[in-house]
Amino acid sequence: MRIPAHSVCTAIRDDIVSGVFERGSRLTEELLARRYGVSRVPVREALRTLESEGFVVTRRHAGACVAEPTAQEAADLLEVRMLLEPLGAARAAQRRTEAHLKVLRGLVRLGQERARRGEGEDLRSLGSWFHETLAQASRSPGLIALLTQLRHKIAWMYAVEQPARPADSWAEHGAIVDAVARGDAERARALAAQHAERTTAAHRLRCADRLPGREAAPPAPGRVRTSQHVVNTASGRH
């Protein structure tokens, strides 16, 4: 059975985001094919996709390598996020289904409950699920793809601190959902913009040694951490 390239792409991207493949390290087709138990054809296609997304670069005499984004590129991503997330919320207010609302309201209830209990790890995953569902509710494939890619890249470049008052954060989520439920696009846009601006302060750049003015020792070709990622052939999610 031929493994779909998008499944291989998802696996490689996940390993880049989680740090299994370090920034600047080489990504040879042979190494990746062996790691994920696939042929080199889907690996080659996946690397082309990841290069178009900015996770991979092709270097002369080295081939495909994990990209090494600058601090300015990382800052630009947060700025783009602050523009796109409010747009997604506004479109969600205009296009959401009852199924989307049901999931969003359920996530807000869970988030508020976990915030009261101080269950930080659950809050992190619930927050990610909330924003993913809000994007899906926009029912705009292009916007969903952009927001998904942004989330992956921001997770790669930044560590996000838990809010000091998580209950306030989930109250903001609840207010956004209320505006979406009423079909109030402008209110949803404004609330999402305020939420994105407030949470941006919690983002801290990873790999401080790679900031401009500092030099880090170059990574060894193909160096990866000792973790094995199994390709999920049943899912087409990116």
Side-chain angles (χ1 to χ4, degrees):
M1 179 181 69
R2 184 175 183 274
I3 306 300
H6 61 73
S7 295
V8 180
C9 183
T10 298
I12 299 173
R13 187 193 298 107
D14 287 349
D15 277 346
I16 290 174
V17 170
S18 66
V20 172
F21 292 114
E22 297 183 358
R23 300 180 190 198
S25 61
R26 290 180 61 194
L27 297 171
T28 68
E29 292 179 10
E30 181 181 3
L31 178 150
L32 296 173
R34 184 167 63 250
R35 177 176 179 80
Y36 303 115
V38 298
S39 73
R40 294 173 69 163
V41 173
V43 167
R44 192 173 303 127
E45 294 176 25
L47 289 176
R48 283 197 291 264
T49 298
L50 292 169
E51 184 168 17
S52 72
E53 294 179 355
F55 289 98
V56 170
V57 295
T58 300
R59 293 176 177 162
R60 190 176 182 183
H61 305 310
C65 301
V66 179
E68 297 180 87
T70 65
Q72 184 58 60
E73 289 170 338
D76 288 346
L77 281 182
L78 291 182
E79 188 173 354
V80 172
R81 168 179 169 263
M82 291 176 67
L83 295 173
L84 291 187
E85 284 193 346
L87 174 60
R91 288 195 176 175
Q94 297 167 328
R95 303 177 182 180
R96 90 293 184 282
T97 65
E98 287 302 314
H100 289 129
L101 278 180
K102 182 177 180 180
V103 174
L104 288 168
R105 283 171 170 155
L107 288 169
V108 169
R109 284 194 299 271
L110 282 173
Q112 290 173 339
E113 177 185 330
R114 299 295 193 274
R116 285 194 298 270
R117 295 180 181 177
E119 297 174 0
E121 286 306 310
D122 281 353
L123 288 176
R124 195 182 302 277
S125 59
L126 285 171
S128 178
W129 191 1
F130 174 87
H131 286 287
E132 180 178 346
T133 304
L134 187 62
Q136 292 289 337
S138 73
R139 301 173 73 184
S140 173
L143 182 57
I144 293 167
L146 286 171
L147 286 169
T148 299
Q149 188 179 134
L150 269 177
R151 280 194 300 274
H152 286 311
K153 295 184 83 170
I154 288 171
W156 176 38
M157 298 181 191
Y158 288 94
V160 183
E161 299 171 354
Q162 283 292 95
R165 298 172 61 89
D168 290 348
S169 179
W170 280 95
E172 293 174 6
H173 287 160
I176 293 169
V177 173
D178 288 343
V180 168
R182 293 194 305 269
D184 189 340
E186 288 311 307
R187 178 67 173 162
R189 184 195 299 270
L191 290 170
Q194 292 171 11
H195 180 69
E197 183 174 1
R198 188 186 63 77
T199 57
T200 292
H203 289 70
R204 296 289 178 266
L205 273 174
R206 299 184 189 272
C207 300
D209 60 342
R210 293 191 183 278
L211 291 175
R214 301 186 184 183
E215 293 186 1
R223 183 173 63 189
V224 301
R225 297 180 185 174
T226 55
S227 170
Q228 186 64 36
H229 191 126
V230 178
V231 172
N232 179 5
T233 59
S235 171
R237 286 179 58 191
H238 281 222

